[in-house]
Amino acid sequence: MRGPHNIIRLIRTGATFERTGAMKVVLDAFEAPLMMRYAIRGLVWPFQWLGYKGDQKMAPAPRALNALGPAYIKFGQVLSTRPDVVGSELAVQLRVLQDKLPPFSMAEAKAEVLRELGKPVEALFSSFSEPVAAASLAQVHKAHLADTGDAVAVKILRPGIERAFRKDIDAFYFAARAIEVLSPSSRRLRPMEVITHFEGVVAGELDLRLESSAASEYAANTETDDSFVVPRVRWHLSRRRVMTMDWMEGISIGDNDALDAAGHDRQHLATRALQLFLSHALRDGFFHGDMHQGNLKVAGNGDIIAYDFGIMGRIDEYTRRVYAEILFGFIRKDYQRVAEVHFEAGYVPAHKDVDEFARALRAVGEPIFGMDASQISMARLLSYLFEVTERFGMETRTELILLQRTMVVVEGVARSLDPHMNIWQVAQPTVEDYIKESIGPKALLKDMVKTARILARFGPLLPSIAEAALIKQNSPQPLPPTKPQLSGLPWMVFGGFLTGLTIWVSKGL
Ligand SMILES: Nc1ncnc2c1ncn2[C@@H]1O[C@H](COP(=O)(O)OP(=O)(O)O)[C@@H](O)[C@H]1O
Ligand SMILES: [Mg+2]
């Protein structure tokens, strides 16, 4: 029975919320019914002394979460990416949640390395520094490999962090279930689903093997990207709780004075940061979901270095094509077309009125394009767009919200490097390039080549596959004699024909 444990935990949480003034903010954000407010606050009130006071300088909600520890801080950070759940006001407040904690000791760090890598730190590394950075989940040390002398970064999970999270997440589930039972109207906010989403995000960060594999996939995708680098993972020194990668030195991308002093071209850096992010999202469908200034540096040669691959976003090919077409429609101010794309993709239910939707989209686009260049924001366009599409019955998609949120962050990074940057002007070539590649004649060709390849491989098998299905369907009946070898031939011819056609078309282009 975990019930009593969880109740005690939740009372402490409630008491902290009450004491910091966050209770009212949260109940307001969730539009809690009056009865529920009285019930919760009445229950918690006598226990206020159990709650933490928190840092007086912070706004109530982040103050409460900060005081309650790592799981709550992370939860707040995840909720700040879900304005669909907490409303946009609270989401903005939660963005200030900083993820900094005192480091754990060198002795503990060394014990983790020994346990995970099976050898003492002294045997693996010729030097091993004090932590260079410490957050709620992990800390990073600088080291040199004993055999080659290469400089590496060793990221180590905080000891016992998994168990601490498990307990808090159990309490979150308990609370979500209680809320669903006590207030059926809250179900529209899907409390259980929000916790599951949170658990998924955290699971990704509590297993550094997942971060290592994200880092290497990201590195492979971006290998040929100009002026962009990702540290290489040293797999033989990486496990679930320890990750080792090449050390990459740079100036923080948020430090304009240092960048200027080193002679970097900030305008160029701003342009690159935005274009890289867009092309990762559109071209690869795999983007860095946590691109704040703390996770980006600038190397001596001007390359942008990315760190921290705990939160990555994925967008499937279909969605990318649809959104490229939507963005393209906005660029050309063809709102009717943007509306149609939504209907064709099945994002907006067919019974809604296309013309009315197009008018709503015009109200999204016109004010933004009418702004002064230094004010135009793609992130804002997307956020207004999602508001409208939600109103027209489109389901919220977490990967698109992460995309929009990250775009806010990347635009912020770019603007702080170059306050006069025109974001549309910088973004447009990347979006148009992708469109040429993904929905123009070239894309048609690529699709045909793909189809032809698959057909050439599987085509000859299709008749026997179909036959097997037929046999299965009619199995009790006796079977007529068949000639499978011969029936493969037409498919081979057809596959060959398609391949030929494709080559012919490609020559003509
Ligand atoms: N490969 C590396 N080379 C140099 N510094 C690194 C490297 N990896 C991480 N760091 C430093 O450590 C900090 C924290 O690492 P990060 O992966 O962002 O951890 P967290 O997930 O705790 O934010 C980074 O901001 C960066 O300054
Ligand atoms: Mg980081």
Side-chain angles (χ1 to χ4, degrees):
M1 252 311 274
R2 305 201 61 99
H5 272 1
N6 288 332
I7 289 172
I8 294 167
R9 275 167 190 283
L10 291 175
I11 285 179
R12 195 197 55 194
T13 305
T16 304
F17 271 60
E18 194 62 52
R19 226 177 150 174
T20 52
M23 188 64 92
K24 188 179 172 315
V25 178
V26 171
L27 292 174
D28 284 349
F30 287 98
E31 294 163 15
L34 212 57
M35 280 307 286
M36 193 167 154
R37 285 170 193 250
Y38 285 134
I40 293 183
R41 298 188 80 167
L43 190 73
V44 163
W45 199 81
F47 297 100
Q48 266 198 67
W49 54 278
L50 270 175
Y52 305 116
K53 265 207 300 235
D55 179 353
Q56 316 262 354
K57 290 192 290 290
M58 298 175 113
R63 180 172 149 199
L65 296 174
N66 212 46
L68 284 162
Y72 289 83
I73 295 176
K74 271 280 158 216
F75 192 47
Q77 287 176 336
V78 169
L79 284 182
S80 78
T81 66
R82 298 292 303 265
D84 58 314
V85 175
V86 296
S88 38
E89 215 172 301
L90 189 53
V92 169
Q93 276 196 29
L94 291 175
R95 274 181 218 161
V96 305
L97 277 172
Q98 281 280 331
D99 187 31
K100 273 208 180 108
L101 248 70
F104 49 89
S105 72
M106 286 296 273
E108 283 176 295
K110 289 183 175 178
E112 287 299 328
V113 169
L114 175 63
R115 188 159 48 221
E116 286 291 282
L117 303 180
K119 280 188 189 156
V121 162
E122 292 72 24
L124 296 168
F125 306 105
S126 55
S127 80
F128 193 82
S129 80
E130 293 284 332
V132 296
S136 58
L137 300 188
Q139 69 188 29
V140 174
H141 299 255
K142 183 178 184 179
H144 288 90
L145 297 183
D147 46 5
T148 60
D150 292 350
V152 290
V154 184
K155 187 168 179 175
I156 306 174
L157 280 191
R158 210 166 258 282
I161 190 75
E162 294 98 327
R163 204 157 7 98
F165 261 79
R166 189 67 263 156
K167 284 188 192 155
D168 282 332
I169 290 176
D170 279 349
F172 292 167
Y173 272 118
F174 183 83
R177 222 170 293 129
I179 290 171
E180 282 195 359
V181 171
L182 295 177
S183 161
S185 70
S186 71
R187 273 181 215 148
R188 119 197 116 74
L189 296 167
R190 296 158 293 164
M192 290 295 275
E193 201 192 297
V194 170
I195 308 296
T196 311
H197 170 69
F198 173 64
E199 192 180 10
V201 172
V202 169
E205 292 192 78
L206 286 180
D207 185 344
L208 293 177
R209 287 172 304 190
L210 297 178
E211 181 168 343
S212 301
S213 79
S216 53
E217 181 178 352
Y218 192 49
N221 284 345
T222 58
E223 204 182 342
T224 56
D225 283 358
D226 263 354
S227 49
F228 183 68
V229 278
V230 172
R232 178 168 55 119
V233 177
R234 301 289 182 132
W235 281 103
H236 68 291
L237 295 173
S238 298
R239 300 284 187 280
R240 199 165 60 79
R241 316 196 80 252
V242 174
M243 171 178 178
T244 306
M245 64 206 125
D246 286 353
W247 181 263
M248 288 191 157
E249 193 65 55
I251 299 171
S252 167
I253 205 162
D255 190 346
N256 283 350
D257 293 340
L259 291 172
D260 291 343
H264 293 299
D265 177 353
R266 278 199 273 127
Q267 242 171 339
H268 178 70
L269 286 171
T271 302
R272 278 311 284 157
L274 187 68
Q275 288 180 339
L276 284 162
F277 168 70
L278 280 176
S279 77
H280 300 161
L282 286 174
R283 180 195 65 196
D284 310 330
F286 189 55
F287 62 90
H288 196 298
D290 199 12
M291 258 192 165
H292 58 79
Q293 291 175 333
N295 288 335
L296 296 170
K297 283 187 179 170
V298 179
N301 64 359
D303 283 358
I304 296 177
I305 312 167
Y307 308 94
D308 200 351
F309 315 94
I311 303 177
M312 303 293 289
R314 248 181 230 286
I315 308 178
D316 64 57
E317 191 173 339
Y318 177 73
T319 308
R320 279 183 270 146
R321 288 187 185 190
V322 171
Y323 271 88
E325 227 185 316
I326 288 169
L327 284 177
F328 195 54
F330 272 114
I331 290 174
R332 287 180 308 169
K333 303 193 179 182
D334 187 349
Y335 302 108
Q336 195 68 28
R337 180 69 202 132
V338 177
E340 283 163 13
V341 173
H342 277 88
F343 279 83
E344 287 163 13
Y347 288 176
V348 171
H351 67 268
K352 299 278 180 184
D353 182 345
V354 187
D355 296 327
E356 196 191 330
F357 187 50
R359 281 195 294 277
L361 292 173
R362 178 180 293 277
V364 168
E366 291 297 303
I368 289 182
F369 290 111
M371 282 177 188
D372 176 62
S374 65
Q375 298 287 308
I376 292 179
S377 151
M378 276 183 100
R380 189 155 348 148
L381 176 81
L382 279 187
S383 120
Y384 290 176
L385 173 66
F386 294 159
E387 261 170 48
V388 169
T389 51
E390 204 180 331
R391 212 164 1 102
F392 275 78
M394 180 174 156
E395 263 185 56
T396 309
R397 301 196 26 193
T398 46
E399 84 271 34
L400 293 178
I401 291 183
L402 181 63
L403 178 79
Q404 189 271 334
R405 268 286 297 130
T406 313
M407 208 175 264
V408 173
V409 175
V410 175
E411 286 183 0
V413 168
R415 278 253 157 78
S416 97
L417 288 162
D418 174 12
H420 304 295
M421 168 177 206
N422 179 335
I423 286 187
W424 265 123
Q425 225 164 39
V426 172
Q428 204 164 325
T430 314
V431 175
E432 281 177 357
D433 273 357
Y434 173 73
I435 293 210
K436 272 190 226 127
E437 289 286 326
S438 74
I439 22 195
K442 250 186 168 169
L444 183 70
L445 184 72
K446 256 195 246 162
D447 283 352
M448 277 172 71
V449 172
K450 231 192 228 171
T451 313
R453 262 206 223 118
I454 293 170
L455 269 180
R457 198 178 316 139
F458 287 107
L461 296 176
L462 281 179
S464 26
I465 293 170
E467 203 170 58
L470 272 179
I471 292 170
K472 226 172 152 190
Q473 220 171 34
N474 309 323
S475 41
Q477 270 111 48
L479 298 166
T482 50
K483 295 182 234 155
Q485 285 88 349
L486 262 184
S487 53
L489 196 61
W491 284 102
M492 241 132 75
V493 173
F494 181 59
F497 166 73
L498 257 188
T499 315
L501 182 70
T502 318
I503 292 167
W504 177 70
V505 172
S506 67
K507 277 196 176 146
L509 282 177

